[in-house]
Amino acid sequence: MVEGGLRGLIDRTAERRAADRRAANPSGADRSGADPSGADRSGADHDGNPCRCELCAAPIPADHRHLLEPAVREPRCACRPCALLFEHPPAEGDRYRLVPDRRWYLPDFVLDDATWASLDIPVQMAFACHDSAEGRTVIRYPGPAGAVEAAVEPAAWAAVEAANPVLRRLAPDVEALLVDRTRDARDHWLVPIDDCFALVAVLRSHWKGLAGGQDVWNEVGAFFTELRRRAKPMPVGMSKGVPR
């Protein structure tokens, strides 16, 4: 049920866009006769199956927490009681880690065009997360076949970390820096790792042909619009590593 759970953020974006369409079309006419968002507000996935906790199998709503299993780098849908079991800092031997639900927009993040070019990432989106098992930061980018690890030189990434103390705030394995430089964007976010998986799912679900097609880029734009709505701007003191 992993994919079904990750669709929560995607479905909420679809619902907002559907609401805009309904406002513009008060008659509510839809050629298919179905909910134009494609989402089931009862907490079911797109196949009509109820979302369930992957630890205890209890039914859960579409908007739920995730636990990351670092050994396989996969999120698991969790009910509230199971999520609370892992709310403490991870201990040695813990199989799961609770994915945070905080989202920060980083208006003061330092990453100019020259530094970005030095990272040699072939697309204009990427996410970086500290992998505790490997003891290093891993940078990946979304593609039509899934997430791809970028071969970034350690010295180039070290320069980014030195310029941005906020990266020390990332919780290992479960939080990421998300970079969006598509079109004219120069946006940086601190997000739960499952948001990054959701972005990967957007590309995998909507990519067509060699260049992706207009639909996929519309969906990517909607993803970041929804993320901006949900995220809070990080205060300057926090982004510079100054306690507040």
Side-chain angles (χ1 to χ4, degrees):
M1 188 64 69
V2 171
E3 185 178 2
L6 291 178
R7 280 178 174 161
L9 189 147
I10 301 170
D11 287 348
R12 286 191 293 275
T13 301
E15 287 186 34
R16 288 179 60 82
R17 296 176 71 187
D20 291 341
R21 289 196 297 270
R22 287 194 295 272
N25 180 20
S27 67
D30 183 271
R31 293 179 182 177
S32 67
D35 180 348
S37 73
D40 184 344
R41 292 167 180 78
S42 67
D45 65 17
H46 281 198
D47 297 322
N49 303 311
C51 291
R52 293 189 176 273
C53 175
E54 294 189 70
L55 273 69
C56 72
I60 53 179
D63 189 7
H64 55 260
R65 301 292 295 275
H66 291 99
L67 298 170
L68 184 78
E69 188 174 3
V72 293
R73 296 191 180 93
E74 288 188 1
R76 307 296 185 191
C77 302
C79 64
R80 179 172 174 77
C82 287
L84 289 175
L85 292 175
F86 296 91
E87 202 167 32
H88 57 75
E92 185 176 354
D94 275 357
R95 181 178 177 183
Y96 298 108
R97 296 188 179 182
L98 181 64
V99 178
D101 59 359
R102 62 178 183 172
R103 292 168 179 83
W104 293 102
Y105 178 65
L106 308 176
D108 301 308
F109 197 85
V110 180
L111 182 57
D112 60 24
D113 292 350
T115 303
W116 175 258
S118 73
L119 300 178
D120 201 25
I121 297 172
V123 299
Q124 298 301 305
M125 293 180 289
F127 55 95
C129 180
H130 183 78
D131 188 311
S132 59
E134 297 192 16
R136 65 185 179 92
T137 297
V138 177
I139 297 96
R140 298 182 176 90
Y141 57 89
V148 181
E149 182 172 345
V152 175
E153 289 292 334
W157 182 250
V160 176
E161 290 183 326
N164 297 282
V166 68
L167 294 175
R168 294 196 292 265
R169 292 181 174 272
L170 293 177
D173 302 312
V174 292
E175 269 187 319
L177 168 72
L178 177 59
V179 179
D180 174 28
R181 297 174 64 90
T182 56
R183 300 175 181 173
D184 295 326
R186 295 292 184 271
D187 292 326
H188 310 89
W189 320 79
L190 186 157
V191 298
I193 192 64
D194 50 7
D195 280 12
C196 302
F197 295 148
L199 177 59
V200 172
V202 168
L203 266 76
R204 293 189 66 178
S205 300
H206 297 281
W207 190 279
K208 295 179 182 178
L210 296 177
Q214 188 58 46
D215 284 351
V216 72
W217 299 115
N218 290 342
E219 294 297 330
V220 167
F223 172 92
F224 282 110
T225 296
E226 175 70 1
L227 179 56
R228 184 180 291 276
R229 184 187 69 82
R230 302 180 73 197
K232 299 178 180 179
M234 178 171 282
V236 174
M238 290 178 65
S239 66
K240 300 301 182 185
V242 179
R244 295 177 67 89

